[in-house]
Amino acid sequence: MGSAPASDRATVPPGGAPSYVADSVRTAAKILVVGHFAVGKTTFVGTLSEITPLRTEEPLSQAGAQVDDLAGVPEKTATTVAMDFGRLTLSDSLVLYLFGAPGQKRFTRLWTDMLQGALGALVLADTRRLDQSFDVMGLLEEHGMPYAVAVNQFDGAPHFPEEEVREALDLLPDTPLIGCDARDAASSTKALIALVEHLQTRPVPADQES
């Protein structure tokens, strides 16, 4: 984790959160919020961001309907085409910059760019479509990006014991798995804290040691 330069400090319109991070903040971390199409990434970032979040949503088109699987999410009418961005101060000394990545495979090249400088990723998953998480996790593993998994609790979605979800996703024993509701700030914050704690306790790779 490195110190945030003044040029990176986000501003917000009058009436929002403070324009600058607190003077006590010494560490900033770039965190990705990822997952397959329509898993709740935009909602998650918007729920947690203390500034007005940047969103790049566009209405779903007939052309997009040919490639975007709306099974289980017929109410979805828009999709992220670049990224979501938000900011969350976790403590007096730590601020997180949240980057939500689009979930469709056609945006894989954009993902590669967004991975640069990120410390880790929070993978949102949906119990109705767990199989769609494999491509996301595979891309993170390909780039050596540590991650935690948060199962977004959609209304009406089936609930399974943690052991069954962990087995279905083929997670390593030390990969955090937590349930969350992307609409709820307290629940979503717990998911992010699980990721941050995971990043802090992971051994430093040999090629990153000073």
Side-chain angles (χ1 to χ4, degrees), residues 12-207:
V12 292
S19 296
Y20 299 98
V21 296
D23 291 338
S24 59
V25 171
R26 295 294 179 267
T27 304
K30 177 182 179 181
I31 298 294
L32 300 185
V33 179
V34 300
H36 57 70
F37 175 67
V39 77
K41 301 177 295 293
T42 297
T43 298
F44 186 94
V45 173
T47 295
L48 287 182
S49 182
E50 62 195 18
I51 61 173
T52 302
L54 168 67
R55 292 176 173 171
T56 58
E57 285 193 310
E58 293 292 340
L60 289 171
S61 64
Q62 290 185 344
Q66 305 302 314
V67 292
D68 295 333
D69 184 5
L70 292 175
V73 286
E75 71 283 356
K76 189 168 179 63
T77 59
T79 185
T80 299
V81 296
M83 69 174 185
D84 301 306
F85 173 78
R87 186 189 80 199
L88 175 66
T89 301
L90 268 191
S91 69
D92 290 340
S93 60
L94 173 62
V95 64
L96 302 182
Y97 292 106
L98 308 177
F99 289 77
Q104 299 93 318
K105 288 184 180 180
R106 62 182 180 275
F107 293 112
T108 298
R109 185 172 180 178
L110 176 61
W111 268 56
T112 302
D113 293 335
M114 293 181 68
L115 286 167
Q116 299 299 317
L119 290 186
L122 184 68
V123 179
L124 295 187
D126 180 350
T127 57
R128 298 168 298 182
R129 299 175 291 157
L130 287 177
D131 60 306
Q132 295 185 26
S133 296
F134 287 112
D135 286 341
V136 174
M137 296 187 298
L139 184 60
L140 295 174
E141 292 168 1
E142 178 183 337
H143 288 271
M145 181 65 58
Y147 62 88
V149 176
V151 177
N152 195 7
Q153 298 168 349
F154 288 91
D155 293 337
H159 291 262
F160 301 103
E162 178 180 333
E163 296 76 11
E164 292 185 15
V165 176
R166 182 174 290 277
E167 181 178 359
L169 292 174
D170 195 23
L171 298 180
L172 294 174
D174 63 341
T175 300
L177 175 64
I178 187 171
C180 83
D181 184 336
R183 301 164 297 184
D184 181 77
S187 174
S188 298
T189 299
K190 288 181 180 179
L192 269 184
I193 290 174
L195 171 61
V196 171
E197 290 178 342
H198 176 55
L199 297 176
Q200 291 176 332
T201 57
R202 289 179 70 250
V204 178
D207 60 356

